[in-house]
Amino acid sequence: MVTLKIDGQKVTVRKLSTILDAVRKLDIPIPTLCHHPELSPFGGCRLCLVEINGSPKPVASCTTFARNGMDVTTTSPRLEKLRKTTLELILSDHPKDCMVCERAGDCKLQELAYFYGIRENRFGGEQRVYEKKDNNPFIARDMEKCILCGQCVRICDEIQGVGAIDFAYRGLRTKICPPFENDLNCEFCGQCVAVCPTGALTGKMWDQKGRQNFKEVDTVCPYCGCGCNITLHIWRNEVRRVSSKEETLNEGWLCAKGRFGYGFIHSPDRLKKPLIRTAPKDISAFPIHQTNPPLPPFTKGGRGGIHPSSFSLHPLSSFKEVSWDEAFDYIANRLKQIKENYGPDAIGGLSSARCTSEENYLFQKFFRAVIGTNNIDHCARY
Ligand code: FES
């Protein structure tokens, strides 16, 4: 362990902790733009500067290891002046369109500019103008707003293991882009969007769908069985965005489905009542339980030599909307009929990762104990 003094307070942290870790342990506020606790230290924004007694220059606290006996100062007129100048330099070529920026009110840079009272910029010079390369369905890339904090690069590489983007060029021309400045072509997990401190990376689905006046509802992702915690951002009774909080079991990380796959919630195509597949002609002439033809015998090439997938895509079938009671009667009759005619192993059950563990348990119990078959499988067992 290492013990040091920060702003006069003693603190003990584990070996190989940074000064910033120790500062955070004491809950002392210190501005950062490129630091993320789950990513490797970067030291790019220079806002987390601190003074160490006996050291001639301030150092970046996020990349300097804490040492025994250090005496660290986090706030002084000199440090605040340096931070303000650094911020002014970052803002010098940043677009001034906060009024319409998707991240206004949720932008770390805007927050710091407010905190340091930066109204005008004394630094002039070249402004970045980039050709928009935005030919993807999920992520809007407004790279003129990029402050080169590198969090998107590190998360894509270190957490996601994809490495779809990196720093390109040098000096004032430095930018973050996919190889050869091609269009972004990745998994579209949106992790880069989640860590971006400004409006450089945002979700296309969120565009002009509301900013800060959301009602937030914590829930569980409806996709695979990992059970990631998500937060729905609701505005005017509609889900407008999905995010995840750092303190959850998935540590705020989500995949493309969890982050962007919520369009089904308000889709007008959603099924709201049970449908029974029927033959299109003379439907009224048949009681519901007789409308499906008897199954042909099972052979090596599938049932009756027909591949199973063709059963569900029969071109002459159509759907009839029924009540839940009718649907359950139909299912029970058909299962009984198939079991009597062909035996329980003619039936198989495919369960779902979207169900709870309890529902999946009941499902397999029903198939094994009531129907009498072990033909059980699961959509996530590829
Ligand atoms: S947070 Fe330390 S340099 Fe950016």
Side-chain angles (χ1 to χ4, degrees):
M1 302 296 275
V2 172
T3 301
L4 64 162
K5 231 200 253 174
I6 295 177
D7 293 344
Q9 296 184 63
K10 261 196 177 174
V11 60
T12 302
V13 287
R14 289 218 296 244
K15 256 192 176 173
L16 299 183
S17 298
T18 62
I19 295 178
L20 185 63
D21 293 332
V23 170
R24 295 273 199 248
K25 197 171 175 191
L26 288 174
D27 265 342
I28 296 173
I30 194 165
T32 61
L33 276 175
C34 68
H35 175 76
H36 191 291
E38 299 297 325
L39 303 175
S40 57
F42 183 61
C45 73
R46 317 309 287 177
L47 286 177
C48 66
L49 294 178
V50 292
E51 287 166 339
I52 301 170
N53 199 2
S55 171
K57 287 187 208 156
V59 295
S61 61
C62 67
T63 51
T64 309
F65 289 122
R67 297 227 162 76
N68 261 328
M70 265 182 172
D71 186 1
V72 177
T73 304
T74 64
T75 320
S76 69
R78 180 195 186 198
L79 284 174
E80 292 306 309
K81 196 173 168 207
L82 278 172
R83 284 181 188 140
K84 188 169 178 183
T85 306
T86 306
L87 265 175
E88 284 175 301
L89 285 166
I90 294 173
L91 285 161
S92 65
D93 66 346
H94 194 84
K96 316 278 182 295
D97 64 349
C98 296
M99 300 258 272
V100 288
C101 179
E102 199 55 45
R103 292 292 299 274
D106 178 32
C107 168
K108 277 195 181 177
L109 186 61
Q110 189 190 40
E111 180 69 12
L112 287 171
Y114 167 80
F115 192 72
Y116 282 89
I118 301 172
R119 292 177 178 277
E120 280 167 16
N121 209 300
R122 58 198 165 100
F123 298 107
E126 226 172 280
Q127 299 287 309
R128 291 174 294 173
V129 181
Y130 294 135
E131 186 195 340
K132 288 260 177 306
K133 290 240 173 171
D134 227 5
N135 203 11
N136 77 76
F138 300 111
I139 298 175
R141 301 174 66 239
D142 194 348
M143 300 316 283
E144 285 145 25
K145 291 181 186 162
C146 173
I147 57 166
L148 301 171
C149 71
Q151 291 193 65
C152 54
V153 174
R154 281 174 286 150
I155 201 159
C156 189
D157 180 29
E158 296 170 16
I159 302 287
Q160 209 59 23
V162 174
I165 44 175
D166 207 340
F167 287 88
Y169 308 111
R170 288 290 176 272
L172 286 175
R173 294 182 63 225
T174 307
K175 72 199 284 198
I176 290 170
C177 56
F180 309 109
E181 294 206 45
N182 287 335
D183 285 322
L184 189 60
N185 183 11
C186 61
E187 294 178 359
F188 296 110
C189 61
Q191 306 277 59
C192 53
V193 175
V195 293
C196 180
T198 68
L201 299 171
T202 53
K204 283 189 176 175
M205 296 163 75
W206 314 336
D207 192 30
Q208 294 184 299
K209 296 269 171 63
R211 292 195 290 200
Q212 295 317 305
N213 32 4
F214 293 121
K215 175 182 165 194
E216 291 190 7
V217 176
D218 293 335
T219 182
V220 177
C221 175
Y223 286 100
C224 79
C226 289
C228 291
N229 287 209
I230 58 174
T231 301
L232 304 178
H233 298 248
I234 297 168
W235 192 47
R236 298 189 177 164
N237 220 20
E238 245 187 54
V239 176
R240 303 289 178 121
R241 187 184 296 184
V242 171
S243 68
S244 183
K245 293 178 179 156
E246 261 173 44
E247 60 275 16
T248 55
L249 93 146
N250 44 301
E251 297 177 343
W253 311 140
L254 290 177
C255 72
K257 290 188 290 179
R259 197 181 306 279
F260 298 119
Y262 58 89
F264 70 92
I265 298 174
H266 303 292
S267 168
D269 298 333
R270 249 184 111 157
L271 297 183
K272 295 196 175 120
K273 292 220 172 130
L275 301 172
I276 291 181
R277 192 188 292 280
T278 58
K281 284 180 197 155
D282 296 322
I283 195 165
S284 54
F286 296 96
I288 276 174
H289 68 279
Q290 286 178 12
T291 48
N292 276 1
L295 291 173
F298 189 82
T299 66
K300 216 177 168 190
R303 198 172 286 284
I306 307 166
H307 191 272
S309 63
S310 54
F311 289 117
S312 58
L313 298 170
H314 195 291
L316 296 178
S317 63
S318 64
F319 290 106
K320 185 187 172 201
E321 199 173 283
V322 294
S323 68
W324 284 105
D325 283 347
E326 280 176 283
F328 287 133
D329 284 350
Y330 179 81
I331 295 165
N333 285 336
R334 287 292 291 143
L335 288 176
K336 260 191 232 157
Q337 215 176 51
I338 295 167
K339 188 174 168 179
E340 274 163 28
N341 291 345
Y342 305 104
D345 281 337
I347 301 170
L350 284 174
S351 190
S352 171
R354 296 197 190 192
C355 299
T356 60
S357 302
E358 291 78 7
E359 285 162 344
N360 277 322
Y361 174 81
L362 285 174
F363 186 84
Q364 62 83 32
K365 199 76 181 165
F366 174 75
F367 270 78
R368 290 188 217 279
V370 179
I371 291 181
T373 180
N374 288 323
N375 291 340
I376 301 284
D377 215 324
H378 187 274
C379 69
R381 198 181 67 83
Y382 297 123

